[in-house]
Amino acid sequence: REAEAEAKAIASLLRDAHTQFVDLRNKVESVRDDAVKARMKVSEQGYVSFDTSRLSEGERTAYVHDPSYQESARKAAGEWNQAITAAVKALSDADDGVRIALEAVRRSRRRTWPNSSDRSGTTPAARSSAGPSSTASAHPAPSSSPTA
């Protein structure tokens, strides 16, 4: 009964996480696509720089000889870097949230199961069905020599 409730809680958590991850991944991709449309180049690592390869000859000449044009391109690239960093951070934060929620489910399971202080990390039913070797490895015999 408790295992069924735990499975349902985990399934619900994973469904919600999947929906959230898909949405956040789409936002990262959308920001990247918008940066590219704004004449930026985005590396595989998410670093943004002004894409001079897309400039016409006239634009390239203006870019090379006009420091204010270069500065505005650097500023725009910095703003796109911040936007991509924020979108990736939101995804990373969501991932951390799911990890914490899964750990909370795992901890609540350990508090409710008998012998939850057992160090093997398995359920009592799993230990009994696995046979004596799993119990022996979970509880080694005391050593006759002192440990440092």
Side-chain angles (χ1 to χ4, degrees):
R1 202 161 182 74
E2 289 176 24
E4 182 181 348
E6 178 186 356
K8 286 181 179 180
I10 290 172
S12 175
L13 181 78
L14 292 175
R15 275 191 303 275
D16 292 346
H18 177 263
T19 300
Q20 185 179 27
F21 289 156
V22 167
D23 180 51
L24 291 169
R25 183 194 66 206
N26 289 341
K27 286 180 182 176
V28 169
E29 291 172 351
S30 176
V31 172
R32 181 207 56 214
D33 292 346
D34 290 346
V36 170
K37 288 176 191 169
R39 294 184 160 188
M40 298 294 148
K41 184 170 29 177
V42 182
S43 72
E44 289 291 319
Q45 294 76 29
Y47 181 76
V48 180
S49 60
F50 186 62
D51 190 357
T52 58
S53 69
R54 294 173 53 187
L55 296 176
S56 69
E57 280 302 312
E59 290 170 325
R60 189 180 323 269
T61 301
Y63 178 76
V64 169
H65 297 291
D66 184 356
S68 65
Y69 189 0
Q70 294 172 20
E71 180 56 33
S72 68
R74 278 192 293 274
K75 182 180 177 194
E79 291 169 357
W80 283 112
N81 265 318
Q82 290 175 348
I84 288 177
T85 298
V88 170
K89 184 178 182 327
L91 186 56
S92 178
D93 289 348
D95 187 49
D96 289 343
V98 170
R99 180 186 49 79
I100 290 167
L102 286 170
E103 287 174 359
V105 169
R106 184 180 57 90
R107 280 193 304 273
S108 70
R109 176 196 73 200
R110 285 188 175 174
R111 282 194 299 269
T112 59
W113 284 0
N115 299 324
S116 62
S117 64
D118 181 54
R119 293 174 292 166
S120 69
T122 59
T123 66
R127 282 192 305 279
S128 65
S129 67
S133 63
S134 65
T135 305
S137 64
H139 300 288
S143 170
S144 58
S145 63
T147 57

